[in-house]
Every structure is written in structure tokens, then in C-alpha cells.
Amino acid sequence: MEKVTTLLFGAISPQRRYVEFSYVNPDFEVCLDQVTFLVSYGWQVVSIKCRYQQGNYSQLPLEAFDGKPLGPPIKQLQHEWEDLLYTAT
């Protein structure tokens, strides 16, 4: 079974309209970057939660979505952790 991430969030558009979105993608970083993309164009995220596969939802910190891409730093952290884990065994 393929791993799937679902992000559900509410945002206020640059025209001051409230809109609810959901993004579904196997790649968690892609979902995060979709939200970041909207923020970089003037959207204001007011709530965001994540569900990984069929589990419960977890709230995500709004301040993390400042318009700067999150995917590359998360991938970098992943590689650092993997390097540490592989060298420790």
C-alpha cells in the first residue's frame, strides 16, 4: 500500500475570502510546498492539519508557512538523519 499524506487547511485569499483546501500526495514535502506556494502569493493560512495514511490528524504550526519552500530543508534533515543512522549501525 502506498503511503499518502493529506493536508487539510483553511486560508484567507488575497481578496479576503476564506477557502478550505486539501492536498493529497505520497510526498509529504510536496504537500507542504503547495501550501507555502500559496502563502508566497499573499494567502494567509489560518489552520492546517496533516494526516499520514489512515491515522489521526496532527495540527501543524502556522508560523512554519512563511512563503519559503519547506521541501528542500526537510529532505536535507532526512539525509542527515539517514547518514547518522547508517553510520551508527
Side-chain angles (χ1 to χ4, degrees):
M1 178 181 213
E2 187 173 351
K3 297 176 184 178
V4 175
T5 300
T6 302
L7 283 185
L8 299 174
F9 67 98
I12 299 173
S13 74
Q15 295 79 25
R16 308 304 300 160
R17 292 190 191 114
Y18 178 78
V19 182
E20 291 183 343
F21 291 95
S22 65
Y23 287 124
V24 178
N25 195 297
D27 191 334
F28 179 64
E29 293 83 7
V30 169
C31 289
L32 296 177
D33 281 342
Q34 291 296 322
V35 177
T36 300
F37 176 78
L38 288 176
V39 171
S40 72
Y41 279 93
W43 290 74
Q44 178 188 0
V45 178
V46 295
S47 67
I48 185 164
K49 58 187 176 179
C50 174
R51 183 177 75 179
Y52 187 70
Q53 290 187 315
Q54 299 301 319
N56 295 326
Y57 284 95
S58 297
Q59 292 295 128
L60 298 178
L62 297 176
E63 59 273 7
F65 300 91
D66 60 3
K68 297 176 188 165
L70 294 168
I74 289 174
K75 284 289 187 191
Q76 179 61 38
L77 284 172
Q78 177 186 354
H79 293 304
E80 289 175 18
W81 275 107
E82 288 172 348
D83 288 346
L84 287 171
L85 290 172
Y86 292 131
T87 57
T89 56

